[in-house]
Amino acid sequence: MLDRAYLRQNFEEIKVRLANRVDPGVLEEFAETDSKRRAAVTEIQALQERRNELSALVAKARRGGEDALDIVRDARNVHAEIHEREASVNALDEAMDSVLSRIPNTPHATVPHGTDDSANLEVGRWGDRPEFSFRPKPHWDLGVDLGIVDFERAAKLAGSRFAVYVGAGAKLERALMNFMLDRHTREHGYAEILPPFVANSKCLYGTGQLPKFADDLFKLEGTDYWLVPTAEVPLTNLYAGETLSADDLPILLTGFTPCFRSEAGSYGRDVRGVIRQHQFQKVELVRIVTPEESYDALERLTLDAEDILQSLGLPYRKVLLSSGDMGFSAAKTYDLEVWLPGLDEFKEISSCSNFEAFQARRTGIRYRRSPGRKGKAEFVHTLNGSGLAIGRTWLAIIENYQQADGGVLLPDVLQPYLRAERIAPGGSLV
RNA sequence: GGAGGAAUGGCCGAGUGGUUGAAGGCGGCGGUCUUGAAAACCGCAAGGCCCGCAAGGGUCUCGGGGGUUCGAAUCCCUCUUCCUCCGCCA
């Protein structure tokens, strides 16, 4: 969330910056709630001051051997009045939290203004699209023909939008997981984390999925557990509520999890293949840094994701999202879109964002510049990005490396993991 | 799942109803001494919120929430987490 005082003091400016991102009514609700709350707090604090004075008088009188019954009577009245007003102060506090949690992050100055993806800016392109002497198949045909993915049997287990990976398909998924984690830990300096695949409400609130996007999540009935929609949730919340020292930063974390998304409201979109699933696997990158280095960190984190695409020889483009297309919590986002020859389009495979202090405020991650207790604790900046979505990498590989005979070549870097050079037309690794 | 115990500031640890926002120690910061460092000694140090241009004032905070009381770190209820024992279990 945004800082309450900062929002109050820069209200008109922030209103302009959030133009395409929030209903103006929500900002008016903030201003109104804020002034109501402050008036109520001021009142109740004056009453508390009166109560404390009277209590001190009672203590003094008792020490002098008097009973001070009249003072006690006054104090009792003040106590009752405080009690009465407490409820409305609490309600205003909650209203304040509620309205603040519905206000998205302010876009960075370098973010293009716009209402949707049409204002996005392509900032880079890498790799040559493969040329085929035949018409390249989409992965759903290719994968099913090879027998390495099975949608019909997956439907028996869990329904639509699930996949069962079989044989070389399963091994390819596992190889990608290992390759990505190895690369990020060995070459890019990330620490590997294997977190729980469920998280509680507080964590999802902290990273911004709740309260607004509960419909996108799976919740475990009768519990406060949610299936994680991304490893961003556990990795960022790892340090929730902690005050770190400057020496601890930057913190670089990578982790593999399955990601579970209800995909409510996406009926009819990307229904074929493994583009949009209720469960997909992903290796995530998280950086926790000081405010002054967060934009440099965004560039580096994005390059870490790009390195995976380049190592795998997958052509892609890099897109700077417009203010209208960015996620709720982000201040700046790059999307990496991989080329899919079977589908004949670029498709998002990684989304790398700087959240500035937005998530740090919600999760309570602070740090101290100078050691010890001297020096105020400040909020850190958090960033994350996919490094990469494994399911989409899987399909990008089979579509880009497909051969005329129906087989698939394997990128060099994966061959040691799979101990094979290609997937033969029958689906076996050879 | 059952039975007990615990939770205090950066860390350890006192504190069972009235200047205790909190002794003491460690750690931190500043200083004296020293060529420098160490040691020793002296001193300084919590955060949130509200009012205020400011100086400053007020209020809340001893795991979270609620209650008793004129007054709660201290008494009661509840939740969470951790520890010990029992049961179950990959």
Side-chain angles (χ1 to χ4, degrees):
Chain A
M1 64 175 72
L2 297 176
D3 179 67
R4 176 164 41 186
Y6 176 74
L7 178 51
R8 180 192 308 144
Q9 284 152 20
N10 304 279
F11 191 72
E12 292 306 321
E13 181 207 328
I14 291 175
K15 207 163 152 182
V16 173
R17 292 174 66 190
L18 289 178
N20 297 328
R21 285 171 64 75
V22 70
D23 174 0
V26 174
L27 292 176
E28 295 307 325
E29 186 186 335
F30 163 82
E32 196 179 316
T33 308
D34 183 50
S35 74
K36 272 192 199 163
R37 180 189 155 272
R38 284 191 293 157
V41 165
T42 304
E43 264 183 39
I44 204 168
Q45 287 188 354
L47 288 168
Q48 286 168 330
E49 180 178 9
R50 178 73 185 141
R51 179 199 60 194
N52 292 345
E53 284 167 2
L54 292 174
S55 290
L57 287 179
V58 173
K60 202 172 164 190
R62 289 272 166 90
R63 271 198 298 273
E66 299 167 39
D67 58 14
L69 282 181
D70 49 336
I71 306 177
V72 168
R73 196 170 47 244
D74 284 353
R76 210 172 270 161
N77 289 335
V78 175
H79 175 93
E81 196 169 352
I82 291 172
H83 191 73
E84 251 172 55
R85 299 194 182 206
E86 246 165 19
S88 70
V89 170
N90 287 346
L92 285 165
D93 275 339
E94 273 173 40
M96 196 67 220
D97 284 345
S98 157
V99 70
L100 268 180
S101 72
R102 284 179 280 129
I103 297 173
N105 205 352
T106 47
H108 188 249
T110 55
V111 169
H113 289 283
T115 52
D116 54 37
D117 59 4
S118 63
N120 293 352
L121 201 64
E122 183 176 315
V123 293
R125 222 172 244 246
W126 184 91
D128 297 320
R129 302 184 200 178
E131 294 190 10
F132 298 96
S133 57
F134 56 97
R135 185 184 170 80
K137 292 186 197 169
H139 69 279
W140 49 79
D141 289 338
L142 190 56
V144 169
D145 292 348
L146 284 166
I148 60 174
V149 64
D150 187 335
F151 297 106
E152 289 182 14
R153 292 197 172 93
K156 291 197 293 187
L157 303 181
S160 66
R161 289 201 190 282
F162 286 94
V164 168
Y165 293 88
V166 179
K171 285 184 192 296
L172 177 57
E173 182 94 359
R174 180 154 60 90
L176 284 168
M177 169 185 92
N178 282 328
F179 166 68
M180 290 176 192
L181 288 170
D182 285 347
R183 193 79 172 196
H184 293 313
T185 55
R186 289 175 189 163
E187 311 293 330
H188 304 150
Y190 290 79
E192 183 169 341
I193 303 290
L194 176 56
F197 300 162
V198 296
N200 60 33
S201 297
K202 202 175 171 185
C203 289
L204 286 144
Y205 175 82
T207 33
Q209 285 79 16
L210 291 179
K212 271 196 81 172
F213 306 103
D215 289 348
D216 298 335
L217 305 171
F218 285 112
K219 182 153 194 204
L220 298 187
E221 200 174 351
T223 72
D224 186 42
Y225 295 142
W226 305 74
L227 297 179
V228 295
T230 158
E232 164 195 351
V233 176
L235 295 190
T236 306
N237 278 285
L238 212 51
Y239 293 96
E242 296 188 29
T243 301
L244 306 163
S245 91
D247 298 341
D248 297 328
L249 303 178
I251 292 172
L252 281 66
L253 305 172
T254 186
F256 164 88
T257 66
C259 303
F260 299 93
R261 302 189 180 179
S262 77
E263 294 299 342
S266 66
Y267 301 107
R269 223 161 93 208
D270 304 319
V271 287
R272 298 198 69 183
V274 298
I275 292 276
R276 190 176 301 277
Q277 299 272 290
H278 286 312
Q279 177 191 328
F280 62 96
Q281 281 64 245
K282 180 157 63 71
V283 167
E284 185 74 1
L285 302 172
V286 164
R287 285 181 182 238
I288 300 174
V289 305
T290 59
E292 46 280 352
E293 55 189 4
S294 71
Y295 279 94
D296 183 47
L298 176 62
E299 298 302 321
R300 290 165 69 176
L301 183 141
T302 309
L303 287 174
D304 293 334
E306 289 178 63
D307 179 51
I308 301 293
L309 285 164
Q310 294 180 12
S311 304
L312 293 169
L314 294 172
Y316 66 93
R317 67 180 183 189
K318 184 173 178 178
V319 174
L320 175 58
L321 297 193
S322 82
S323 55
D325 199 29
M326 270 196 310
F328 181 80
S329 306
K332 183 173 183 176
T333 300
Y334 290 112
D335 272 7
L336 302 177
E337 299 182 346
V338 71
W339 174 249
L340 300 177
L343 273 63
D344 194 33
E345 63 176 352
F346 284 101
K347 198 78 191 175
E348 177 189 337
I349 196 165
S350 175
S351 191
C352 302
S353 302
N354 184 359
F355 302 90
E356 298 187 352
F358 194 85
Q359 293 180 327
R361 245 177 245 116
R362 286 166 83 120
T363 50
I365 310 177
R366 298 179 173 81
Y367 84 106
R368 255 181 255 280
R369 281 173 198 278
S370 37
R373 277 159 59 189
K374 207 179 176 186
K376 267 178 104 172
E378 298 170 51
F379 288 111
V380 298
H381 281 193
T382 63
L383 301 93
N384 70 55
S386 340
L388 308 162
I390 296 175
R392 288 190 182 177
T393 309
W394 184 98
L395 78 92
I397 286 172
I398 70 167
E399 288 200 6
N400 277 282
Y401 284 92
Q402 59 184 301
Q403 303 297 301
D405 65 1
V408 173
L409 287 181
L410 292 168
D412 292 346
V413 294
L414 290 183
Q415 292 182 10
Y417 288 93
L418 288 157
R419 298 182 192 189
E421 291 174 6
R422 59 192 177 91
I423 303 172
S428 55
L429 286 164
V430 293

